[in-house]
């Protein structure tokens, strides 16, 4: 506990120098064990164990109250023993609730603890006071023979060591009572470790001393009859015989005295027996009061963190001390329900598993924080060792299963269910947990190890840099890419910002965009850069994004539908290992009411969010690019949203070789182990396009032509130098065949793939400096006209698929 305090955040509303904030460790909020576990292991473990720990403390109230009720003399009541315990227990817990709500728990506990220490002293005084009339009941004072005889085990009635341990263990759970009310302590960093260690020391010494004293002074069985003295005809060798008494008749059962039979042996030994009863009352009631106060405090801290939204009603506090009155009432109801069981030996094992699970996680959280090797973890306890903590955690889990395997299994299943719930809900909290630190260490280690391993085609993954801007402005683009990168490869959302802003605003934007990605369950990183223009920003992203092998090898961008309205100087070519160009409609911020165009934009932005249903992904493999055009559709069909889609492959060929080309392609796909539904060989791919489509293309390029034949050569050269993106007549003639191919491909696409869910097609080849930007953009515009969502892929001819496993 002393070490875990260092994980806390700085005191709210207090201005601390930035460098000092990470080292603040004086302020520990309420919640005790829950607070320590949650801030160390994160909300998943903290939330699950917090509920169980609060529930265990609530049940502990019942255990202590039932223990108290069993010692009360209720002979005057006209009911059986169980109902007497229920009545006394109910009245007692009502009284304790009143004390807690009234804020008198400290005064009450101080008074009861004083009585407890007096009764303990009274017991030890009694062990050295000889008394002849106590010998028939098994008490003989300190005797070596009795200690030796009692030293070994003697389990009866199918009891075992661990079944007895399960009953005794809750008596040691009060050592965290101080930690559970950490929010009420003036200096928790100092008080919790000192108080906990002193509690362990004093409790341990007291229990051992009482066990040794009773084991050295009282025999296991006694009749209570003064006439059961040893006679000459009796042949016995036990400790009682050597001391003049024959209790051998107890072997047949029915004896009421001795360590094994009398639960009030401490009263028998003590100097003044009524003081022992007072001590039992004090011990049980003070422990019950501590649990009645602890459980609501822990529960309130859990509810304040809003990990389980439905429980937030219990977070409200009242009065200057922020008392959890609603939590008191809930704890009272839980305690009362278990008090009605009225059997201590039934209640105790129930909470043993819960407390053991809590202590196991406390130990594990300390070990985990050390394992993470975070600079913020600085344990100040001189004798701290992480392996002792791990051993303690393992021991707790082992004991849970040894005591009762099915109860331990149920406890762990409850913890697991709560953990999964919190993991799924992902509460918006950041406590700087050791889990985060360990993840960082593992990520760093694996990244460095990955750098030293040579790449192999078997392990190729399309690691995508997506030029998305603000992620929420192009959701369809991100959702499609996420469909084939999620849990498979890297995805980075690049954002080029041409307007500089201040650092706080940048930090807020970064956090907001990353939250949006998490909310939409898009597994990606957001990477903004500042640049003078889009071209320079793209260059920065291409050069700087990534770490080691975790570096993008595929560029993804959306096709700008209104590209012709912009400045053609911004149109340029970029090169990476692989380039993927998307062509579909994306929505930006749209205000209502929506026009027809905006409505289509909105529908397009959501089209990859929903399940695609039955349909096809049409792959137009126009040349061998290394296999990227085939790999991406395959990855898509492995996702549930695209699982009902089948892959259709289209390739170019000759009329007289259609069957041969189809078999060759089928063989290739079979070697690549890619399932497909059909292969279409297009024998008419090289046919001339229709005349009206050629005229449409001519109209499209008209604004971008240089028309050097209509001007002097010097003026034409000067204009070409100023606007290198313009299309020259020579260029049109040189690439006439390629232009016709794009027009013809659009005709074939509309004929064969107009109903496809997605079209994946090889991107036209063009090298920088040989094809003007305007002509290339017109090719893309013509190719993608009036089609379903189109994915243009440009591989670099390096293989991304292998025939081998």
């Amino acid at each position: 506990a002393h070490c875990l305090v260092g994980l806390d955040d700085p005191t709210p509303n207090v201005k601390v120098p930035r460098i000092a904030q990470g080292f603040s460790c004086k302020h520990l909020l309420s919640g005790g064990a829950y607070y320590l576990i949650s801030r160390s292991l994160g909300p998943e473990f903290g939330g699950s164990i917090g509920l169980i720990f609060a529930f265990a403390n609530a049940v502990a109230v019942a255990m202590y109250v039932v223990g108290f009720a069993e010692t009360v003399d209720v002979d005057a009541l006209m009911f059986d023993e169980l109902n007497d315990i229920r009545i006394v227990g109910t009245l007692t817990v009502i009284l304790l609730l009143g004390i807690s709500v009234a804020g008198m728990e400290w005064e009450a506990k101080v008074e009861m603890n004083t009585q407890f220490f007096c009764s303990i002293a009274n017991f030890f005084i009694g062990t050295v006071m000889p008394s002849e009339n106590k010998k028939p009941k098994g008490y003989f004072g300190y005797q070596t023979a009795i200690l030796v005889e009692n030293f070994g085990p003697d389990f009866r009635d199918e009891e075992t060591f661990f079944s007895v341990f399960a009953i005794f263990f809750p008596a040691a759970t009060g050592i965290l009572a101080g930690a559970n009310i950490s929010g009420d302590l003036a200096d928790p960093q100092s008080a919790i470790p000192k108080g906990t260690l002193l509690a362990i020391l004093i409790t341990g010494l007291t229990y051992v001393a009482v066990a040794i004293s009773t084991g050295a002074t009282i025999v296991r069985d006694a009749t209570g009859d003064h006439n059961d003295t040893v006679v000459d005809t009796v042949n016995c060798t036990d400790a009682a015989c050597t001391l003049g008494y024959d209790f051998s008749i107890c072997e047949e059962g029915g004896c009421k005295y001795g360590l094994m039979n009398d639960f009030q042996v401490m009263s028998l030994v003590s100097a003044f027996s009524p003081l022992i009863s007072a001590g039992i009352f004090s011990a049980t009631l003070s422990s019950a009061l501590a649990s009645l106060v602890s459980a609501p405090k822990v529960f309130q801290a859990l509810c304040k963190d809003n990990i389980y939204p439905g429980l937030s009603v219990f977070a409200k506090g009242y009065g200057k001390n922020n008392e959890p009155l609603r939590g008191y009432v809930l704890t009272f109801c839980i305690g009362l329900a278990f008090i009605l069981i009225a059997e201590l030996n039934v209640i105790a094992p129930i909470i043993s598993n819960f407390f053991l699970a809590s202590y196991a996680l406390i130990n594990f959280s300390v070990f985990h924080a050390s394992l993470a090797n975070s600079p913020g973890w600085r344990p100040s306890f001189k004798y701290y060792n992480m392996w002792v903590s791990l051993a303690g955690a393992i021991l707790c889990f082992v004991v849970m299963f040894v005591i009762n395997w099915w109860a331990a299994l149920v406890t762990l299943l409850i913890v697991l269910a709560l953990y999964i719930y919190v993991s799924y809900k992902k509460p918006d909290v950041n406590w700087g947990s050791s889990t985060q630190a360990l993840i960082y260490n593992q990520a760093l280690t694996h990244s460095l190890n990955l750098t030293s391993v040579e790449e192999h085609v078997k392990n190729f993954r399309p690691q995508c840099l997506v030029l998305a801007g603000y992620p929420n402005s192009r959701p369809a683009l991100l959702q499609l890419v996420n469909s084939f990168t999620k849990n498979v490869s890297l995805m980075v959302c690049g954002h080029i910002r041409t307007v500089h802003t201040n650092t706080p605003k940048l930090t807020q934007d970064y956090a907001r965009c990353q939250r949006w990605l998490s909310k939409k369950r898009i597994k990606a990183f957001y990477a903004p850069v500042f640049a003078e223009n889009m071209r320079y920003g793209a260059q920065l992203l291409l050069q700087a994004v990534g770490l080691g092998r975790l570096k993008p090898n595929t560029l993804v961008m959306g096709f700008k539908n209104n590209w012709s309205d912009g400045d053609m100087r911004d149109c340029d070519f970029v090169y990476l290992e692989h380039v993927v160009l998307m062509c579909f409609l994306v929505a930006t911020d749209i205000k209502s009411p929506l026009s027809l165009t905006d409505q289509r934009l909105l529908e397009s932005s959501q089209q990859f969010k929903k399940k695609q249903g039955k349909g096809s992904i049409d792959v137009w493999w126009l040349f061998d690019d290394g296999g990227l055009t085939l790999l991406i559709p395959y990855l898509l069909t492995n996702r549930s949203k695209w699982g009902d889609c089948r892959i259709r492959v289209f390739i170019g060929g000759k009329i007289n070789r259609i069957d041969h080309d189809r078999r060759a392609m089928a063989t290739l796909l079979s070697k690549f182990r890619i399932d497909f539904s059909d292969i279409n060989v297009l024998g008419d791919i090289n046919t001339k396009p229709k005349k009206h489509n050629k005229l449409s293309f001519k109209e499209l390029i008209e604004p971008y032509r240089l028309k050097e034949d209509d001007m002097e050569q010097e003026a034409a050269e000067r204009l070409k130098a100023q606007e290198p993106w313009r299309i020259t007549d020579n260029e049109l003639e040189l690439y006439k065949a390629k232009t016709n191919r794009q027009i013809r491909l659009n005709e074939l696409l509309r004929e064969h793939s107009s109903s496809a869910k997605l079209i994946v097609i090889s991107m036209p080849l063009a090298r920088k400096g040989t094809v003007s930007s305007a002509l290339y953009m017109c090719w893309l515009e013509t190719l993608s006209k009036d089609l379903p969502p189109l994915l243009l892929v440009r591989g670099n001819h390096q293989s991304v698929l292998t025939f081998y496993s």
Side-chain angles (χ1 to χ4, degrees):
H2 186 37
C3 305
L4 286 171
V5 173
L7 294 173
D8 185 35
D9 299 329
T11 306
N13 301 323
V14 176
K15 291 185 177 179
V16 183
R18 181 71 64 179
I19 195 171
Q21 290 187 9
F23 304 93
S24 176
C25 56
K26 294 291 288 181
H27 184 68
L28 179 63
L29 301 181
S30 62
Y34 156 72
Y35 187 84
L36 300 179
I37 294 173
S38 62
R39 267 52 177 184
S40 178
L41 294 180
E44 295 86 1
F45 274 114
S48 56
I49 207 62
L51 276 181
I52 287 181
F53 192 69
F55 181 76
N57 274 282
V59 178
V61 175
M63 184 191 72
Y64 295 126
V65 170
V66 169
F68 163 77
E70 285 184 350
T71 62
V72 176
D73 185 2
V74 292
D75 291 339
L77 298 178
M78 301 301 294
F79 299 97
D80 58 78
E81 183 178 353
L82 284 180
N83 284 320
D84 290 347
I85 292 174
R86 289 166 180 151
I87 293 172
V88 174
T90 300
L91 295 174
T92 303
V93 77
I94 291 173
L95 176 63
L96 293 177
L97 178 64
I99 293 174
S100 301
V101 172
M104 299 165 54
E105 67 270 10
W106 285 109
E107 294 85 348
K109 280 192 283 188
V110 168
E111 183 178 346
M112 288 186 284
N113 285 329
T114 302
Q115 292 178 0
F116 170 73
F117 283 113
C118 290
S119 65
I120 289 293
N122 173 55
F123 164 75
F124 285 115
I125 292 172
T127 60
V128 296
M129 294 177 60
S131 177
E132 290 294 327
N133 63 343
K134 295 180 181 179
K135 290 183 178 181
K137 296 182 179 180
Y139 171 69
F140 295 93
Y142 287 99
Q143 300 290 337
T144 303
I146 296 178
L147 179 61
V148 172
E149 185 177 82
N150 289 338
F151 200 79
D154 183 21
F155 297 109
R156 302 176 185 178
D157 300 328
E158 299 182 354
E159 294 288 355
T160 64
F161 171 83
F162 285 103
S163 65
V164 176
F165 175 86
I167 297 171
F168 174 79
F169 179 75
T173 59
I175 59 176
L176 280 182
N180 291 337
I181 56 171
S182 52
D184 297 334
L185 302 176
D187 185 8
Q189 182 185 6
S190 175
I192 289 178
K194 290 179 181 177
T196 303
L197 292 175
L198 282 174
I200 294 173
L201 178 64
I202 295 172
T203 300
L205 291 176
T206 301
Y207 286 162
V208 171
V210 170
I212 293 175
S213 297
T214 53
T217 58
I218 309 170
V219 295
R220 284 172 173 161
D221 297 286
T223 61
D225 190 345
H226 287 271
N227 297 322
D228 287 337
T229 55
V230 176
V231 296
D232 295 337
T233 58
V234 175
N235 183 19
C236 60
T237 57
D238 58 22
C241 285
T242 62
L243 297 172
Y245 279 84
D246 177 19
F247 298 139
S248 58
I249 194 175
C250 292
E251 295 177 3
E252 301 175 4
C255 290
K256 297 182 179 179
Y257 297 97
L259 289 176
M260 299 296 296
N261 309 302
D262 185 9
F263 290 169
Q264 303 294 329
V265 289
M266 290 186 68
S267 296
L268 175 67
V269 176
S270 65
F272 182 61
S273 59
L275 195 56
I276 292 295
S277 297
I280 294 174
F281 294 169
S282 302
T284 54
L285 293 178
S286 64
S287 297
L289 189 58
S291 296
L292 186 59
V293 173
S294 298
K297 297 280 188 182
V298 173
F299 197 58
Q300 183 186 38
L302 173 66
C303 296
K304 278 184 176 179
D305 289 334
N306 201 30
I307 294 178
Y308 302 102
L311 301 178
S312 57
V313 65
F314 294 100
K316 184 174 176 57
Y318 297 86
K320 63 179 181 179
N321 293 327
N322 198 33
E323 293 294 332
L325 298 185
R326 297 175 181 177
Y328 283 133
V329 174
L330 179 63
T331 304
F332 167 79
C333 295
I334 295 173
L336 184 59
F338 279 86
I339 286 171
L340 297 179
I341 296 176
E343 291 190 27
L344 187 65
N345 290 358
V346 174
I347 300 173
I350 293 175
I351 63 174
S352 290
N353 264 311
F354 289 154
F355 276 117
L356 281 167
S358 302
Y359 295 160
L361 281 180
I362 292 175
N363 278 288
F364 182 73
S365 64
V366 175
F367 166 77
H368 195 272
S370 300
L371 188 66
N373 200 26
S374 172
W377 171 248
R378 299 178 301 279
S380 56
F381 184 55
K382 182 178 180 181
Y383 303 104
Y384 164 73
N385 186 283
M386 61 183 289
W387 302 111
V388 174
S389 301
L390 178 62
I394 295 173
L395 186 60
C396 286
F397 280 119
V398 170
V399 171
M400 284 174 63
F401 280 92
V402 173
I403 289 176
N404 190 321
W405 69 268
W406 63 264
L409 194 60
V410 170
T411 302
L412 292 181
L413 287 176
I414 293 173
V415 172
L416 181 62
L418 295 172
Y419 179 92
I420 293 173
Y421 172 81
V422 177
S423 299
Y424 178 78
K425 287 295 184 181
K426 296 188 182 300
D428 186 17
V429 295
N430 182 14
W431 296 325
S433 66
S434 59
T435 303
Q436 296 172 339
L438 186 61
I439 290 173
Y440 175 86
N441 267 10
Q442 292 174 338
L444 182 61
T445 301
H446 293 320
S447 297
L448 291 171
N449 291 340
L450 190 63
T451 304
S452 62
V453 178
E454 291 186 10
E455 291 183 353
H456 193 278
V457 63
K458 286 194 302 184
N459 298 320
F460 175 83
R461 301 162 186 262
Q463 302 186 117
C464 299
L465 169 61
V466 187
L467 300 183
Y470 283 113
N472 59 353
S473 64
R474 293 173 178 84
L477 182 65
L478 299 185
Q479 286 156 2
L480 179 61
V481 178
N482 183 63
S483 294
F484 62 81
T485 61
K486 183 179 181 182
N487 298 329
V488 173
S489 57
L490 176 70
M491 176 178 171
V492 180
C493 299
H495 185 186
I496 304 167
R497 307 181 66 172
T498 56
V499 179
H500 284 270
T501 185
N502 54 41
T503 301
K505 178 65 166 56
L506 179 63
T507 304
Q508 292 173 5
D509 285 351
Y510 180 89
R512 181 174 58 84
C513 292
Q514 201 65 53
R515 278 198 307 270
W516 185 89
L517 291 170
S518 299
K519 183 179 179 181
K520 299 298 181 181
R521 302 189 182 282
I522 296 175
K523 295 191 174 182
F525 300 96
Y526 172 68
V529 295
F530 286 105
E532 295 178 358
N533 53 59
M534 299 296 289
R535 178 179 178 181
Y536 182 54
Q539 292 175 343
L540 290 178
L541 284 172
L542 293 172
Q543 295 178 64
V545 167
L547 178 68
R549 289 287 175 81
L550 297 177
K551 189 176 182 65
N553 56 19
T554 306
L555 179 66
V556 183
M557 66 188 82
F559 188 85
K560 190 175 176 64
N561 289 285
N562 59 344
W563 62 270
S564 58
D565 297 337
D567 190 345
M568 287 302 299
R569 293 186 184 89
D570 293 334
C571 290
D572 206 341
F573 299 108
V574 294
Y575 178 80
L576 201 61
E577 284 188 41
H578 301 280
V579 177
V580 180
L581 179 62
M582 308 296 179
C583 176
F584 50 81
L585 299 175
V586 293
T588 53
D589 297 329
I590 301 173
K591 308 297 182 180
S592 57
L594 298 178
S595 64
L596 181 59
T597 302
D598 287 343
Q599 181 64 36
R600 289 176 179 172
L601 285 172
L602 183 60
E603 292 173 357
S604 298
S605 70
Q606 303 296 321
Q607 66 187 101
F608 297 125
K609 183 179 181 181
K610 58 188 178 182
K611 188 174 179 64
Q612 297 301 307
K614 292 185 177 181
S616 68
I617 299 177
D618 288 358
V619 180
W620 289 66
W621 199 18
L622 304 180
F623 56 85
D624 185 1
D625 62 355
L628 188 64
T629 308
L630 290 171
L631 178 62
I632 291 176
Y634 166 76
L635 294 175
L636 282 174
T637 54
N638 284 338
R639 302 300 181 185
S640 59
K641 290 181 180 178
W642 295 85
D644 294 334
C645 293
R646 65 190 191 278
I647 295 177
R648 297 195 306 174
V649 179
F650 294 82
I651 60 174
K654 295 182 179 179
I655 296 293
N656 57 351
R657 289 175 53 90
I658 288 179
D659 290 339
H660 176 272
D661 292 342
R662 181 182 292 110
R663 286 194 300 271
M665 190 65 194
T667 302
L668 181 64
L669 293 174
S670 178
K671 288 183 177 181
F672 283 145
R673 301 177 304 281
I674 292 179
D675 293 331
F676 59 93
S677 65
D678 193 14
I679 296 177
N680 296 276
V681 181
L682 304 173
D684 56 349
I685 193 170
N686 293 318
T687 304
K688 291 184 178 181
K690 295 176 182 179
K691 188 174 182 180
H692 69 275
N693 290 326
K694 294 175 68 175
L695 290 174
S696 296
F697 181 81
K698 187 175 181 181
E699 292 175 1
L700 178 64
I701 65 172
E702 187 64 26
Y704 310 110
R705 293 187 59 181
L706 182 63
K707 297 181 180 180
E708 63 270 31
D709 292 343
D710 297 340
M711 61 181 72
E712 294 181 359
Q713 182 178 356
E714 184 178 347
E717 291 177 353
R718 186 167 55 252
L719 181 60
K720 181 63 176 176
Q722 294 173 350
E723 299 179 349
W725 47 265
R726 287 195 175 274
I727 306 170
T728 65
D729 294 337
N730 289 336
E731 184 182 15
L732 273 179
E733 186 63 29
L734 179 64
Y735 292 106
K736 183 178 181 180
K738 195 163 236 180
T739 298
N740 289 336
R741 182 178 177 85
Q742 310 314 315
I743 301 172
R744 177 58 181 159
L745 278 174
N746 179 258
E747 293 174 352
L748 292 172
L749 284 165
R750 283 190 285 176
E751 178 183 349
H752 296 282
S753 297
S754 59
S755 60
K757 297 292 184 180
L758 179 69
I759 300 172
V760 183
I761 186 171
S762 302
M763 184 184 296
L765 289 175
R767 294 190 179 277
K768 184 177 182 180
T770 60
V771 178
S772 63
S773 301
L775 179 58
Y776 190 77
M777 292 302 294
C778 289
W779 284 351
L780 297 183
E781 179 71 25
T782 299
L783 180 64
S784 60
K785 183 179 179 183
D786 299 328
L787 290 174
L790 188 71
L791 180 64
L792 291 130
V793 181
R794 167 72 168 92
N796 68 346
H797 302 284
Q798 290 185 2
S799 180
V800 300
L801 293 172
T802 176
F803 296 157
Y804 308 102
S805 306

